[in-house]
Amino acid sequence: MHEFVQVLVAIILGLGVAELLKGYADFLRPGERQFSGLLLGFSLWLFLAHIQFWWFGWRFSTVNTWQFYELLFYLLGPTILYVLSRLTFPNPTETQDLIEYYSEVAGRLWSLVGVFYLYAIGSNVLLLDVSIWSPGPVSQAFLAIYATICSRVENRYLHSIGVVLLIMQLLWRGIGNVVAN
C-alpha cells in the first residue's frame, strides 16, 4: 500500500521541483534581471526540502494500513511544498526584479514555511509516534516560530538568517538520518 501512496507523493513533489527548475531556467534567459541571493537561497532550501520529503517518506513504509484522513494529512506536506514552489519565482511576464518580487511575496512564503513545519511536527508525532520533545520536532517548532516572525517582519537580514537556519536544519536532519542508519 505504501508504494501507491509514495507514487502520489512523488507526482506532487515532481510538480514542485518542475516549478523550481522552470524558475531557474527563466532566470537564465537573456535579459536584465535584478538578482536576489535571498530568493535563490530560499529556492535552494525548497529544492532540498522536496528531496528530503521524498526521502523521509520511506519511513512511512512501516504503516501497513492507511486511513483516508491519514492519507489526506500526509499529502498536505507535498502540497504545501508545491504551493511554495509556485510562489517562489515570478511568472516571466510579470517582473524581472527578483528583489522586488521577494518583497511582495515574502510574507506569504514565510507563513507557508511556518505551516509546513507545524505540519512536519504533526506528521512526526501523529503518524510516526515520535516524541514531541525529540530533536526533530523541537527544531521544527523553533523554525515554525521563526518563520512566523519572518512572515510579519520585513527585514532582509532576519530573512537571510532564516534561510540559513532552514538549510542547516534540513541538512542536519538529513545527515543525522544517514548516520543513524
Side-chain angles (χ1 to χ4, degrees), residues 16-76:
V17 169
E19 286 290 336
L20 289 172
L21 295 176
K22 181 179 165 288
Y24 296 140
D26 288 342
F27 180 74
L28 295 174
R29 288 181 188 215
E32 291 194 29
R33 287 178 180 69
Q34 186 68 24
F35 178 76
S36 171
L38 185 55
L39 193 61
L40 210 54
F42 186 87
S43 69
L44 171 65
W45 165 78
L46 191 52
F47 181 76
L48 293 173
H50 277 79
I51 295 168
Q52 186 189 47
F53 193 95
W54 177 80
W55 183 262
F56 281 138
W58 292 103
R59 294 182 303 171
F60 290 96
S61 63
T62 59
V63 178
N64 293 325
T65 57
W66 285 82
Q67 301 297 322
F68 187 66
Y69 70 89
E70 291 172 327
L71 174 67
L72 290 178
F73 183 71
Y74 183 52
L75 292 177
L76 181 61

Side-chain angles (χ1 to χ4, degrees), residues 13-170:
L13 291 173
L15 290 170
V17 169
E19 286 290 336
L20 289 172
L21 295 176
K22 181 179 165 288
Y24 296 140
D26 288 342
F27 180 74
L28 295 174
R29 288 181 188 215
E32 291 194 29
R33 287 178 180 69
Q34 186 68 24
F35 178 76
S36 171
L38 185 55
L39 193 61
L40 210 54
F42 186 87
S43 69
L44 171 65
W45 165 78
L46 191 52
F47 181 76
L48 293 173
H50 277 79
I51 295 168
Q52 186 189 47
F53 193 95
W54 177 80
W55 183 262
F56 281 138
W58 292 103
R59 294 182 303 171
F60 290 96
S61 63
T62 59
V63 178
N64 293 325
T65 57
W66 285 82
Q67 301 297 322
F68 187 66
Y69 70 89
E70 291 172 327
L71 174 67
L72 290 178
F73 183 71
Y74 183 52
L75 292 177
L76 181 61
T79 303
I80 294 169
L81 290 175
Y82 170 77
V83 172
L84 278 165
S85 296
R86 186 70 184 99
L87 290 174
T88 297
F89 290 106
N91 290 328
T93 57
E94 287 178 4
T95 181
Q96 300 300 316
D97 187 344
L98 294 180
I99 294 172
E100 177 185 321
Y101 179 76
Y102 177 80
S103 296
E104 292 174 11
V105 298
R108 285 173 266 181
L109 289 175
W110 285 102
S111 293
L112 284 169
V113 169
V115 169
F116 177 73
Y117 276 105
L118 290 175
Y119 160 81
I121 294 167
S123 66
N124 279 317
V125 172
L126 299 174
L127 297 178
L128 293 175
D129 292 327
V130 173
S131 168
I132 198 161
W133 301 112
S134 66
V138 169
S139 66
Q140 292 162 344
F142 170 77
L143 289 173
I145 293 167
Y146 197 95
T148 302
I149 293 168
C150 286
S151 73
R152 304 282 184 237
V153 177
E154 291 182 31
N155 183 305
R156 295 185 61 76
Y157 297 112
L158 182 72
H159 292 199
S160 297
I161 292 168
V163 167
V164 170
L165 290 172
L166 290 174
I167 292 171
M168 286 175 54
Q169 191 268 352
L170 192 131

